[in-house]
């Protein structure tokens, strides 16, 4: 299953809005096939795994075990149902990392395989498999985007300068990390004041990947701008409904401090990426939200900087 997760990550950029999935076929402790879902609309992980089996090994399939990080699909979408393919290939044992929360699957894939006489085990490395597709799972279970709050601050908590003058805290490595977050997020949001003062590009220019949908939130006037078009919203929950109805599975909130505090006060966040720079500044500054009551899930060191990552349980 660890190998399934490694393979699945290869679809990080191309697979969404589909989930990332890896599949491995094993016969007597030897991998005879493996694959992953590379791009939405293209072959799923199970299809690619079976296609990779050498002709001289195909007769081994009935004695092999298929490992797959997410429940095989049971519906006809852009590709045929993988559960039916597994039955037709004659595999007798399947190990599934976690169930698919998508309504058209949600246990049906496992049911199809078990009715065909396949021995199906579910829940191997389940936590890791669910975390891999946390954006997809949150969208389908909580009916809102997966929310990541991200900011850079100095060791004493400074996030920006009063008066709107930009303050550069990130180093090249952490900047690339930030743009990786952008590339793996469907939408990116800043507050109206941050947009007016900083004029941020909000692109993925330091990391290969698609630019997220640009969103500006004006909480004072209860307005939301999506790709240049303003609409009225009643607050952040209403904003999230708009994004959910547009099919946007993940939202990266980049600021400013007041916008971050609104999400924190409502407990509407799933991850925080808090970058701590190297230098302390002494002047009149804007301060980052105080999250000292939270415990980091883990920390990444990047040169003289560190990024504390928090997970909302």
């Amino acid at each position: 299953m660890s190998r399934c997760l490694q393979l699945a990550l290869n679809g990080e950029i191309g697979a969404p809005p589909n989930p990332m999935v890896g599949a491995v076929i094993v016969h007597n402790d030897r991998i005879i096939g493996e694959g992953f879902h590379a791009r939405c609309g293209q072959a799923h992980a199970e299809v690619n795994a079976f296609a990779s089996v050498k002709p001289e090994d195909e007769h081994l399939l009935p004695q092999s075990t298929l490992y797959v990080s997410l429940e095989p699909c049971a519906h006809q979408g852009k590709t045929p149902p993988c559960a039916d393919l597994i039955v037709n290939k004659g595999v007798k044992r399947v190990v599934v990392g976690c169930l698919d929360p998508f309504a058209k699957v949600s246990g049906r894939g496992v049911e199809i395989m078990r009715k065909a006489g396949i021995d199906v085990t579910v829940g191997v490395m389940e936590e890791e498999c669910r975390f891999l597709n946390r954006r997809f799972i949150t969208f389908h279970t909580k009916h809102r985007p997966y929310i990541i709050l991200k900011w850079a601050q100095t060791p004493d908590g400074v996030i920006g300068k009063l008066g709107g003058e930009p303050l550069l805290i990130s180093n090249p490595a952490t900047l690339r990390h930030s743009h990786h977050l952008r590339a793996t997020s469907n939408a990116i949001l800043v507050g109206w004041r941050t947009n007016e003062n900083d004029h941020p590009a909000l692109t993925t220019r330091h990391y290969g990947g698609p630019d997220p949908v640009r969103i500006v939130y004006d909480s004072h006037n209860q307005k939301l701008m999506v790709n240049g078009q303003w609409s009225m919203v009643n607050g952040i929950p209403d904003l999230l409904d708009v994004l959910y109805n547009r099919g946007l599975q993940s939202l990266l909130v980049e600021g400013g401090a007041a916008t971050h505090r609104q999400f924190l006060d409502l407990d509407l966040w799933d991850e925080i990426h808090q970058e701590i720079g190297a230098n302390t500044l002494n002047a009149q500054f804007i301060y980052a939200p105080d999250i000292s009551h939270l415990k980091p899930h883990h920390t990444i060191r990047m040169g003289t900087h560190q990024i504390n990552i928090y997970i909302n349980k």
Side-chain angles (χ1 to χ4, degrees):
M1 194 59 71
S2 294
R3 178 57 179 164
C4 289
L5 293 172
Q6 289 176 342
L7 290 166
L9 272 174
N10 289 310
E12 184 178 46
I13 299 297
N18 287 353
M20 293 174 277
V21 184
V24 177
I25 304 170
V26 179
H27 178 266
N28 288 344
D29 296 328
R30 179 172 71 92
I31 293 176
I32 63 171
E34 60 182 26
F36 63 92
H37 182 42
R39 189 166 297 279
C40 182
Q42 295 182 4
H44 287 187
E46 300 93 326
V47 175
N48 289 328
F50 283 120
S52 74
V53 177
K54 295 178 180 179
E56 59 266 31
D57 287 335
E58 287 187 357
H59 73 283
L60 300 175
L61 288 176
Q63 292 83 44
S64 299
T65 298
L66 169 67
Y67 294 83
V68 60
S69 56
L70 186 71
E71 178 185 9
C73 64
H75 66 292
Q76 175 71 49
K78 294 182 179 179
T79 60
C82 289
D84 290 344
L85 173 66
I86 295 166
V87 172
N88 292 335
K89 287 292 184 178
V91 172
K92 299 302 181 185
R93 182 169 182 258
V94 176
V95 178
V96 177
C98 66
L99 294 178
D100 188 336
F102 184 48
K104 292 183 178 181
V105 184
S106 194
R108 291 178 176 86
V110 169
E111 182 182 6
I112 288 172
M113 293 185 292
R114 284 178 173 161
K115 282 186 176 180
I118 297 175
D119 177 12
V120 182
T121 300
V122 179
V124 175
M125 295 185 67
E126 182 174 11
E127 183 177 351
E128 293 87 345
C129 291
R130 288 181 62 84
F131 187 74
L132 174 73
N133 283 305
R134 56 198 182 278
R135 294 165 173 83
F136 176 83
I137 290 173
T138 295
F139 183 81
H140 288 289
T141 58
K142 297 186 177 180
H143 305 291
R144 64 161 174 81
Y146 187 88
I147 303 166
I148 301 174
L149 310 183
K150 181 268 167 187
W151 67 80
Q153 66 178 68
T154 63
D156 56 340
V158 170
I159 198 172
K161 293 183 179 181
L162 292 174
E165 183 182 350
L167 177 63
L168 181 61
I169 296 174
S170 298
N171 64 21
T174 59
L175 195 61
R176 180 172 171 79
H177 174 82
S178 296
H179 286 220
H180 177 206
L181 287 177
R182 292 179 180 181
T184 53
S185 298
N186 297 137
I188 185 169
L189 181 146
V190 293
W192 174 83
R193 190 172 300 280
T194 297
N195 187 61
E196 289 294 306
N197 291 340
D198 297 349
H199 303 289
L202 306 180
T203 63
T204 58
R205 58 196 180 277
H206 295 291
Y207 191 93
D211 292 333
V213 174
R214 181 189 181 96
I215 298 172
V216 178
Y217 177 50
D218 181 351
S219 60
H220 181 71
N221 294 302
Q222 295 186 318
K223 294 195 303 181
L224 180 70
M225 183 173 70
V226 181
N227 283 344
Q229 294 186 336
W230 286 102
S231 59
M232 303 303 294
V233 292
N234 295 321
I236 288 177
D238 190 27
L239 176 159
L240 296 176
D241 285 342
V242 170
L243 302 187
Y244 175 78
N245 290 329
R246 285 176 173 256
L248 299 172
Q249 290 186 1
S250 53
L251 174 66
L252 177 62
V253 183
E254 287 212 1
T259 301
H260 283 136
R261 289 190 183 97
Q262 290 180 61
F263 278 86
L264 287 165
D265 289 345
L266 292 168
D267 197 32
L268 282 171
W269 63 276
D270 298 291
E271 284 184 39
I272 299 172
H273 287 237
Q274 176 198 44
E275 177 183 346
I276 309 293
N279 300 318
T280 300
L281 302 172
N282 296 305
Q284 295 297 312
F285 292 105
I286 300 169
Y287 285 85
D290 180 7
I291 55 172
S292 57
H293 61 290
L294 300 176
K295 183 178 179 180
H297 180 270
H298 62 282
T299 296
I300 304 172
R301 297 292 310 187
M302 292 188 172
T304 57
H305 292 211
Q306 73 179 41
I307 297 177
N308 297 325
I309 298 178
Y310 301 80
I311 304 295
N312 193 352
K313 298 295 186 181

